[in-house]
Amino acid sequence: MIQVENVSLKHRSTPILHDISLEIPKGGITALIGPNGAGKSSLLSLIARLQPLQVGKISIEGFPVDTTPNRDLAKIIAILRQDSIVTSRLRVRELVGFGRFPHGRGRLTAEDQAIIDQSLQQFDLTDLADRFIETLSGGQRQRALVAMAFAQGTDYLLLDEPLNNLDMYFARELMRSLRKIADGKGKTVVIVLHDINQAGFYADRIVAMKTGRVVADGAPSELLTPETLHAIFGFEMRVETIDGIPMVVHLR
Amino acid sequence: MSNAARQQSSRTGLLAGFVLAALFMLSLFVGVIDVPFHRALADAGALELLLISRLPRTLAALLAGSGLAIAGLIMQTLTRNSYVEPSTAGTAQSAELGVLLVTLLWPSANLFAKSIVATATALLGTSVFLMTAHRLPPTQPFLVPLFGIVYGGVIGAAVTFVAWQADLLQYLSVWTNGDFSGVLRGRYELLWIGAAMLVAAWMIADRLTIMALGRDASIGLGIDYARMLQLGLVIVSVISALSTVVVGMIPFVGLVVPNIVSRLMGDNLRGTLPVVAMSGAILVLGCDILGRLIRYPYEIPVGTVMGCVGGIIFLWLLFRRPAHA
Ligand SMILES: Nc1ncnc2c1ncn2[C@@H]1O[C@H](COP(=O)(O)OP(=O)(O)OP(=O)(O)O)[C@@H](O)[C@H]1O
Ligand SMILES: [Mg+2]
């Protein structure tokens, strides 16, 4: 379980998060949605101890993120940042392999190799494994980064807009892979999404943020209503149900 | 490491090893006093010359070359900037400052004491540079080396002014121009500390590679980022300070060697670090031998030779950038 209690965050004197409390039980997919600047990335980076906690408490499986040794946390939680830039010349397989670093501190066992191979395969990177990252397309690069987070093999996975740059096929593949590890292996996924329909279809729960606060929280069917969506995004949308799937029509 | 990468790495390593061994032998037998190979072990005088002068000189070139190349590599990894290197980080000027201070305040200090003080100030100066460089935005790649040049210039100007007032300019230049001709047994051994730093760098190679992915990625993978940064800083500062103090400043090694290896083999330090170390040694040893041969029987200091050779290689690197630089 990820437990966020009364967390506030300021940047200099600008408040960014206001008294956020949130419990994410083990297992399942939680989608984090909300307008640009709502504080989604800030919240994720606090949970993943990438910035120091100012006010409040956060713990994962009971381990407080601010006092638990970094190398221990790296075995239970992995994060993919929104703006990961790889400037070094690494081959795809090397990059994905570094996902295993927390486990063997650099020594790759046969089991590690198998996990790396599987991650490569899952994101259709096997043919690109010996290419340098800088020679890949934006979407291929994004897949390599996701594969690296997968290879870390943690029970908790935080993904900040992982669908960026992915085509429809791979966006669907990624979401289905997440569904599979959530259902099959009991993994906990927290994912920031801007595509509300992806969130509605794949997530078990949607948490909506706006101006540093949680403004809505619930199952997709409860949350995807014209009223709630208007409150979050500030414009009218229609919600249709097609084959039992709520679809938000937001083009007009 | 992938199979392709590992194969390439061991092939390149083998080749570099052969070239290095050849240069090593050549360096032992090239100089003003001719020592024919077959007499080296039979003739006591020739053996003496080898042990007191040629061997230390060769080892010093090897240690300084590999050390500077690795220092450059680590600097570039930690600042995520391929254009920094020890000779543009204020190291030499800080070492000069140390020599100047100790000469003024404690004139009777021996060579060893002076070396220690110079190493300490060089360490301090380099650390200040690295800590500042680390904060500069990665989006402006030329800001870091520019800052380094200005920073070194400011310290250098202060040193020159004081040295000029105290009439010590000549003396200082002896300390800081890269030159192996003064290296004798008993005068280069501090460089072996640099070799220990190379071992340390090898041990944290994976961590350094990950740190090149940035702070967040490193923390996400369980690396103690702040501590590793400090360790990297110490490695870089100690190596560059020691080589500046023992043989003087040798420009460009730390810049061109890691850049060439990165282009050929990538940035996975586990595979590239040994190649960078060997190539640095090859370049410096090669330039030293060249300096001994060009105007035989006179010598051109290695710093000068490297200034030309390294400068040309650097320009070539700049103008032949890969498409995704
Ligand atoms: N380093 C920073 N300095 C100043 N303000 C910051 C900084 N980082 C974030 N902010 C501010 O904090 C707020 C929340 O940012 P955050 O990145 O968490 O938003 P987000 O919900 O992830 O948005 P997006 O959908 O655009 O990714 C924004 O108003 C942003 O301007
Ligand atoms: Mg964001």
Side-chain angles (χ1 to χ4, degrees):
Chain A
M1 184 165 73
I2 298 176
Q3 216 160 359
V4 178
E5 290 172 68
N6 307 105
V7 165
S8 297
L9 182 73
K10 275 186 182 165
H11 192 273
R12 292 178 211 278
S13 57
T14 318
I16 291 171
L17 298 177
H18 303 269
D19 195 34
I20 293 194
S21 294
L22 197 61
E23 265 185 20
I24 300 172
K26 197 170 168 132
I29 300 179
T30 301
L32 211 50
I33 65 166
N36 289 147
K40 307 178 295 292
S41 299
S42 304
L43 181 60
L44 281 202
S45 67
L46 282 176
I47 297 175
R49 44 92 176 76
L50 298 183
Q51 46 176 318
L53 206 51
Q54 294 172 352
V55 180
K57 281 194 267 187
I58 298 178
S59 66
I60 303 164
E61 302 262 89
F63 298 107
V65 293
D66 46 348
T67 53
T68 309
N70 197 5
R71 52 195 292 180
D72 297 338
L73 281 176
K75 289 181 203 164
I76 48 180
I77 188 161
I79 181 167
L80 172 69
R81 291 278 321 245
Q82 180 177 355
D83 45 9
S84 304
I85 307 166
V86 178
T87 50
S88 16
R89 279 165 54 76
L90 291 176
R91 292 180 172 82
V92 172
R93 170 177 276 279
E94 291 171 333
L95 183 79
V96 175
F98 280 120
R100 298 304 300 163
F101 185 81
H103 306 278
R105 313 296 291 170
R107 259 172 292 280
L108 295 178
T109 61
E111 190 199 342
D112 290 326
Q113 294 291 1
I115 294 173
I116 295 166
D117 284 334
Q118 198 205 329
S119 298
L120 287 170
Q121 206 174 358
Q122 194 158 9
F123 295 99
D124 209 12
L125 293 164
T126 312
D127 291 341
L128 303 174
D130 282 327
R131 289 258 298 268
F132 283 114
I133 300 290
E134 62 186 6
T135 67
L136 301 184
S137 77
Q140 292 168 336
R141 219 173 289 184
Q142 181 71 2
R143 270 150 55 199
L145 287 165
V146 176
M148 178 183 176
F150 257 62
Q152 205 170 330
T154 53
D155 281 346
Y156 293 82
L157 194 53
L158 309 181
L159 301 168
D160 199 345
E161 300 190 28
L163 301 186
N164 281 353
N165 293 325
L166 295 190
D167 65 28
M168 274 193 290
Y169 176 80
F170 280 112
R172 176 168 171 271
E173 279 301 298
L174 173 58
M175 293 312 295
R176 283 158 58 107
S177 303
L178 293 176
R179 200 59 262 174
K180 213 162 73 191
I181 59 169
D183 293 338
K185 298 186 181 160
K187 306 244 175 190
T188 313
V189 178
V190 182
I191 180 171
V192 177
L193 291 172
H194 280 303
D195 185 335
I196 195 99
N197 290 321
Q198 296 272 16
F201 184 68
Y202 288 103
D204 301 302
R205 172 183 174 191
I206 296 179
V207 174
M209 291 182 68
K210 188 179 180 179
T211 56
R213 291 183 179 82
V214 173
V215 290
D217 183 352
S221 55
E222 298 162 27
L223 205 125
L224 299 186
T225 63
E227 300 73 45
T228 315
L229 289 170
H230 189 278
I232 301 168
F233 293 101
F235 68 100
E236 292 300 334
M237 301 177 215
R238 239 172 71 198
V239 181
E240 295 288 334
T241 303
I242 302 175
D243 294 345
I245 307 164
M247 297 293 286
V248 180
V249 183
H250 49 74
L251 296 179
R252 272 189 297 185
Chain B
M1 217 188 308
S2 66
N3 282 337
R6 190 171 315 139
Q7 264 175 17
Q8 187 195 18
S9 162
S10 51
R11 232 180 306 128
T12 320
L14 215 61
L15 181 69
F18 274 126
V19 175
L20 190 56
L23 284 179
F24 189 94
M25 294 312 286
L26 191 62
S27 168
L28 289 182
F29 296 99
V30 169
V32 182
I33 302 171
D34 197 26
V35 182
F37 185 69
H38 60 274
R39 269 184 42 211
L41 296 174
D43 181 330
L47 188 63
E48 185 87 348
L49 176 77
L50 276 188
L51 290 184
I52 292 185
S53 164
R54 296 277 169 77
L55 185 64
R57 177 177 191 155
T58 305
L59 287 175
L62 209 143
L63 290 171
S66 51
L68 287 174
I70 294 298
L73 175 67
I74 297 179
M75 247 184 188
Q76 289 152 21
T77 304
L78 295 183
T79 55
R80 300 174 85 178
N81 184 307
S82 10
Y83 300 104
V84 286
E85 68 138 339
S87 79
T88 51
T91 312
Q93 292 84 357
S94 310
E96 277 182 342
L97 183 67
V99 174
L100 186 67
L101 287 179
V102 75
T103 310
L104 287 176
L105 302 177
W106 184 22
S108 62
N110 62 14
L111 187 73
F112 184 72
K114 282 183 185 169
S115 303
I116 296 292
V117 174
T119 306
T121 51
L123 225 152
L124 200 71
T126 315
S127 309
V128 170
F129 168 78
L130 285 179
M131 258 139 38
T132 317
H134 188 72
R135 284 168 208 280
L136 296 175
T139 44
Q140 306 264 333
F142 289 105
L143 208 55
V144 178
L146 269 180
F147 165 69
I149 290 165
V150 172
Y151 173 73
V154 169
I155 302 178
V159 169
T160 307
F161 180 72
V162 177
W164 178 69
Q165 297 248 311
D167 209 9
L168 286 171
L169 269 184
Q170 187 87 37
Y171 175 72
L172 271 187
S173 73
V174 173
W175 274 83
T176 46
N177 283 350
D179 189 356
F180 289 112
S181 61
V183 172
L184 294 172
R185 191 165 65 193
R187 281 201 50 185
Y188 81 102
E189 281 75 1
L190 273 177
L191 281 181
W192 286 105
I193 300 177
M197 293 292 130
L198 292 189
V199 175
W202 170 249
M203 287 181 356
I204 59 167
D206 284 326
R207 269 161 256 213
L208 290 170
T209 307
I210 292 175
M211 285 170 78
L213 299 176
R215 177 183 167 279
D216 289 347
S218 310
I219 294 177
L221 291 173
I223 286 171
D224 188 343
Y225 189 75
R227 232 189 63 212
M228 280 298 132
L229 201 60
Q230 285 165 358
L231 186 56
L233 241 146
V234 168
I235 295 176
V236 169
S237 312
V238 168
I239 291 178
S240 28
L242 286 178
S243 39
T244 306
V245 167
V246 176
V247 298
M249 196 167 85
I250 309 174
F252 289 117
V253 192
L255 186 65
V256 297
V257 172
N259 272 289
I260 292 175
V261 174
S262 162
R263 291 221 186 147
L264 295 176
M265 301 175 59
D267 291 330
N268 190 349
L269 266 55
R270 178 67 61 202
T272 64
L273 211 134
V275 177
V276 169
M278 280 193 278
S279 310
I282 289 173
L283 187 60
V284 170
L285 198 52
C287 282
D288 184 41
I289 295 174
L290 203 62
R292 281 183 253 169
L293 290 175
I294 293 178
R295 292 180 59 212
Y296 189 85
Y298 302 103
E299 287 197 8
I300 301 174
V302 68
T304 312
V305 178
M306 187 62 79
C308 298
V309 175
I312 292 168
I313 302 178
F314 179 59
L315 286 178
W316 177 79
L317 278 174
L318 268 188
F319 288 108
R320 282 213 43 198
R321 266 164 170 311
H324 289 271

